[in-house]
Amino acid sequence: MIINKIIFFIIFLSLASCASKKDVYYFQDIDNSPLQNSFKFLNIQPGDILDIQIKAINPESVTIFQRQSLGQNPQIENRVVDGYLVGEDGNINLPIIGSVNTTKKTSFSLALDIQEALSPYIKNPSVNVRLLNFRVSVLGEVQKPGTYTVMEERISVPQALGLAGDLTINGDRNNVLLIRNQDGNTVHHVIELTKSEFIQSDFYFLQQNDIIYVRPNSAKVKSSGVVGNVATASSVLSLILSIIIIIVR
């Protein structure tokens, strides 16, 4: 009778340890949800490093704006060093035109402002502005946690998780935390990857210095305790059962 109860308990633990599709699959309701999200270009912030490329029909007229190291060694590290740092007042300093304010401007609108300011000095200037230090951090239960620098201003939560090698099997897909510095205040938002509604939220696309933290699921938390997880308990009970059978025989 005792042996039968132990066998039943082991089977129960094994079934309880199995994860269902609802715990693992992403975007489970995607067929019933609209997939619309309006991307907003990010405003330039103090501390940003900008790569400003200026071209014209006459290349000699824009020589003063060219950084020598860009042509010789255009790796991202060197581009960051040679970029224009946005000061605490939101200004950058350019040759000829001097101080340019970037407050509440996107990279596109800033390029237009610089282009207009250069028009009296350069014939038909073409200006391109890019953010060089766009970084996001992905921490917790992912394959490759770390801080990632991307050369795009448009990166979504799934793309960032992809850079980090996706969630491990121990990641809680219903409780992913996103931390953001917004207008000097720290805000946070919980994302449920098993549902697709967050695609329409303001947190689907990431901003500069966003932090994604993938919390461990309940099985991972339990496994860090003294007793261990369900699999460990099942193994112990199986060992006890084997000893009892040997003794009885």
Side-chain angles (χ1 to χ4, degrees):
M1 181 65 71
I2 296 178
I3 294 177
N4 291 337
K5 289 182 178 181
I6 294 177
I7 293 175
F8 174 79
F9 189 57
I10 292 174
I11 294 174
F12 173 78
L13 286 178
S14 299
L15 293 175
S17 64
C18 296
S20 66
K21 295 179 180 179
K22 293 183 179 180
D23 299 322
V24 179
Y25 282 12
Y26 298 166
F27 314 121
Q28 293 175 24
D29 59 347
I30 196 167
D31 292 334
N32 302 318
S33 300
L35 299 180
Q36 297 180 354
N37 187 290
S38 55
F39 173 75
K40 298 179 182 178
F41 284 94
L42 306 178
N43 287 336
I44 296 171
Q45 303 290 336
D48 286 347
I49 300 176
L50 306 177
D51 178 26
I52 301 177
Q53 298 292 316
I54 301 173
K55 299 180 180 180
I57 296 176
N58 180 10
E60 294 181 357
S61 63
V62 296
T63 302
I64 191 173
F65 297 99
Q66 305 302 323
R67 303 299 180 95
Q68 294 300 320
S69 61
L70 287 178
Q72 299 173 359
N73 197 12
Q75 282 86 358
I76 181 63
E77 294 83 2
N78 293 295
R79 296 180 67 182
V80 168
V81 171
D82 292 325
Y84 292 90
L85 176 65
V86 181
E88 293 183 4
D89 55 359
N91 292 332
I92 57 174
N93 288 296
L94 292 175
I96 299 180
I97 58 178
S99 180
V100 178
N101 189 265
T102 67
T103 304
K104 295 183 179 180
K105 295 178 182 177
T106 65
S107 56
F108 179 75
S109 63
L110 177 62
L112 293 179
D113 288 348
I114 295 175
Q115 186 171 300
E116 183 179 356
L118 287 173
S119 295
Y121 311 100
I122 300 174
K123 184 177 181 180
N124 297 325
S126 174
V127 180
N128 183 45
V129 177
R130 297 190 68 173
L131 180 62
L132 290 175
N133 62 331
F134 188 102
R135 296 188 180 95
V136 294
S137 297
V138 187
L139 310 174
E141 290 295 332
V142 291
Q143 300 289 347
K144 298 181 293 182
T147 298
Y148 295 88
T149 301
V150 294
M151 291 302 296
E152 302 176 16
E153 296 181 30
R154 182 186 174 101
I155 179 172
S156 65
V157 170
Q159 288 175 316
L161 292 174
L163 290 175
D166 202 5
L167 278 69
T168 67
I169 195 61
N170 295 317
D172 189 347
R173 286 148 176 79
N174 293 312
N175 203 9
V176 176
L177 180 65
L178 192 150
I179 303 173
R180 171 174 296 171
N181 188 299
Q182 190 169 331
D183 298 326
N185 299 316
T186 301
V187 298
H188 67 275
H189 182 74
V190 175
I191 296 172
E192 294 185 59
L193 293 176
T194 57
K195 298 180 180 179
S196 56
E197 61 183 17
F198 85 95
I199 295 177
Q200 303 176 68
S201 75
D202 293 335
F203 294 89
Y204 180 69
F205 287 108
L206 299 176
Q207 296 184 12
Q208 162 78 306
N209 295 319
D210 275 358
I211 298 173
I212 298 175
Y213 173 58
V214 180
R215 292 165 169 161
N217 57 24
S218 57
K220 177 66 173 180
V221 173
K222 289 178 182 178
S223 68
S224 62
V226 176
V227 177
N229 57 15
V230 174
T232 303
S234 299
S235 300
V236 172
L237 288 174
S238 297
L239 178 60
I240 294 173
L241 177 60
S242 300
I243 295 174
I244 292 175
I245 293 175
I246 293 173
I247 294 175
V248 171
R249 289 182 179 180

